[in-house]
């Protein structure tokens, strides 16, 4: 058993060292794991999964996945709460489970499009936070970059809009506005908090510990709420929630882990990373929506995707020029 454990630890260390040599790999894996979450929520609706139960199981799975990484078991030590980032991780954990449930609810009640707009347009908050508060950009942003940032926002809206959105009863229109707006604020605040912690408190080797404590806070809070619901008889546990939670938990853990590692790999330049990451998720999401769920893109959606490509070029033309020429 000890030999097997040592082998797993060594393999994980080799894997992490390999990732360190390829910074773009962190970004690609962050995009792939992030876009899979929205698709999984869509499948929850199709297979009649109890969303909150699956989300709670998902965070337990996140903890188990984290334990397999070097340093993951350190979160079980009392000393972890003495870290300067411990309180931030607990706050982030509460935000995560609340925002995660709202994203799932919005996906199922309002629609994937409105939810995608809210979640991805929230990049405005961490980008401005990185530029104006942290002031940690590794490059000087030009007018071209800012034009790209503006086009990115336009592209997000155009690529997500669907005919007839927001039409219906007043209560439905209010819901279609309230849920995405709350998601916009919570997602933007969470990303900004990650950027802040990564800048002032977190060391590179503590990424797995921070992620673990964050997910532990989400899991504990979720379990308390779920146990209360089961005790009061307001719900009954469904076995299907276990499998649904496992399917969600693995990419959810890595979506945060790879985001943190990508931030470190790119000099914690959130003003560059968040637009590229979110636009990548939008493009991958649009492709997956067409191929997996059979969604049809309108001319406005195609225009939005075209602007997304242009925005990516304008946002990162310095990096592209440095690497291609």
């Amino acid at each position: 058993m000890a030999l097997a454990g040592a082998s797993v630890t060594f393999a994980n260390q080799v894997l992490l060292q390999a990732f360190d040599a390829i910074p773009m790999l962190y970004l690609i894996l962050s995009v792939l794991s992030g876009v899979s979450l929205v698709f999984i929520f869509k499948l929850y609706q199709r297979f009649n999964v109890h969303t909150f139960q699956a989300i709670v199981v998902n965070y337990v799975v996140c903890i188990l996945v984290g334990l397999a990484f070097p340093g993951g078991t350190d979160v079980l030590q009392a000393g972890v709460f003495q870290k300067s980032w411990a309180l931030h991780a607990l706050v982030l954990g509460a935000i995560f489970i609340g925002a995660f449930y709202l994203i799932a609810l919005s996906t199922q009640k309002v629609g994937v499009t409105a939810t995608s707009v809210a979640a991805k347009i929230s990049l405005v908050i961490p980008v401005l936070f990185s530029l104006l508060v942290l002031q940690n950009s590794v490059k000087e942003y030009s007018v071209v970059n800012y034009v790209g940032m503006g086009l990115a926002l336009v592209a997000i809206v155009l690529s997500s809009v669907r005919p007839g959105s927001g039409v219906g009863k007043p209560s439905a229109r209010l819901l279609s506005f309230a849920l995405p707006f709350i998601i916009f604020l919570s997602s933007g605040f969470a990303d900004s908090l990650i950027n802040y912690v990564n800048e002032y408190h977190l060391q590179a080797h503590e990424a797995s510990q921070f992620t673990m404590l964050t997910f532990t806070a989400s899991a504990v809070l979720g379990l308390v709420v779920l146990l209360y619901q089961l005790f009061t008889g307001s719900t009954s546990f469904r076995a299907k929630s276990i499998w649904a939670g496992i399917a969600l938990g693995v990419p959810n853990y890595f979506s945060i882990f790879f985001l943190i590692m990508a931030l470190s790999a790119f000099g914690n330049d959130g003003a560059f990373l968040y637009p590229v990451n979110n636009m990548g998720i939008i493009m991958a999401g649009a492709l997956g929506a067409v191929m997996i769920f059979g969604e049809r893109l309108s001319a406005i959606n195609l225009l939005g995707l075209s602007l997304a490509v242009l925005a990516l070029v304008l946002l990162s033309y310095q990096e592209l020029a440095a690497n291609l020429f």
Side-chain angles (χ1 to χ4, degrees):
M1 291 295 291
L3 180 60
S7 299
V8 172
T9 300
F10 176 75
N12 283 330
Q13 290 174 337
V14 171
L15 182 62
L16 290 174
Q17 290 173 357
F19 284 155
D20 285 337
I22 314 175
M24 281 300 297
L25 186 57
Y26 282 129
L27 178 59
I28 294 173
L29 292 174
S30 176
V31 169
L32 292 178
S33 55
V35 74
S36 67
L37 302 180
V38 179
F39 291 153
I40 292 173
F41 282 139
K42 185 67 174 177
L43 291 174
Y44 278 6
Q45 185 179 27
R46 176 176 296 181
F47 292 100
N48 194 29
V49 172
H50 192 291
T51 302
F52 182 73
Q53 292 182 7
I55 287 176
V56 174
V57 174
N58 135 84
Y59 282 116
V60 175
V61 172
C62 286
I63 295 173
L64 296 177
V65 173
L67 289 174
F69 277 79
T73 55
D74 292 346
V75 76
L76 302 177
Q77 301 176 5
V80 73
F81 292 102
Q82 298 176 0
K83 299 286 187 179
S84 63
W85 44 259
L87 180 60
H88 299 88
L90 297 178
V91 172
L92 193 62
I95 296 173
F96 272 0
I97 190 168
F100 218 43
Y101 180 71
L102 288 176
I103 289 174
L105 186 64
S106 181
T107 300
Q108 298 166 4
K109 300 295 184 181
V110 180
V112 174
T113 24
T115 306
S116 297
V117 169
K120 304 316 165 195
I121 206 173
S122 67
L123 68 87
V124 174
I125 298 176
V127 166
L128 293 178
F129 183 78
S130 180
L131 285 173
L132 302 178
V133 179
L134 297 181
Q135 298 181 348
N136 59 356
S137 180
V138 296
K139 69 178 182 181
E140 291 291 332
Y141 273 73
S142 66
V143 174
V144 175
N145 296 130
Y146 287 110
V147 170
M149 192 181 302
L151 283 180
L153 301 181
V154 175
I156 290 171
V157 175
L158 293 182
S159 61
S160 301
V161 166
R162 293 295 184 274
S165 59
V167 177
K169 298 180 180 179
S171 58
R173 290 197 297 269
L174 179 60
L175 184 67
S176 66
F177 170 77
L179 279 177
F181 182 70
I182 296 174
I183 291 170
F184 166 78
L185 293 177
S186 58
S187 298
F189 181 79
D191 286 340
S192 298
L193 183 57
I194 290 175
N195 206 2
Y196 169 79
V197 173
N198 204 50
E199 175 72 12
Y200 292 112
H201 298 279
L202 200 62
Q203 302 297 320
H205 66 277
E206 296 176 326
S208 60
Q209 297 177 46
F210 178 79
T211 306
M212 277 288 291
L213 185 57
T214 299
F215 285 134
T216 299
S218 298
V220 170
L221 181 60
L223 284 171
V224 169
V225 175
L226 179 57
L227 289 174
Y228 174 78
Q229 292 177 343
L230 294 173
F231 181 77
T232 58
S234 58
T235 188
S236 57
F237 190 78
R238 305 177 187 177
K240 187 187 299 184
S241 300
I242 297 177
W243 301 109
I246 293 174
L248 182 65
V250 174
N252 188 22
Y253 175 88
F254 286 109
S255 68
I256 304 302
F257 178 79
F258 286 127
L259 176 61
I260 292 175
M261 299 308 292
L263 274 171
S264 296
F266 284 94
N268 204 40
D269 187 5
F272 164 73
L273 181 67
Y274 283 116
V276 174
N277 184 74
N278 283 11
M279 296 303 294
I281 289 176
I282 287 175
M283 295 172 67
L287 180 62
V290 172
M291 298 183 64
I292 300 175
F293 297 103
E295 292 187 5
R296 301 179 63 180
L297 298 178
S298 66
I300 293 179
N301 302 144
L302 293 175
L303 175 61
L305 292 177
S306 299
L307 288 179
V309 175
L310 178 59
L312 278 173
V313 173
L314 296 181
L315 279 168
S316 56
Y317 77 92
Q318 294 100 324
E319 289 79 7
L320 292 174
N323 288 280
L324 298 178
F325 303 102

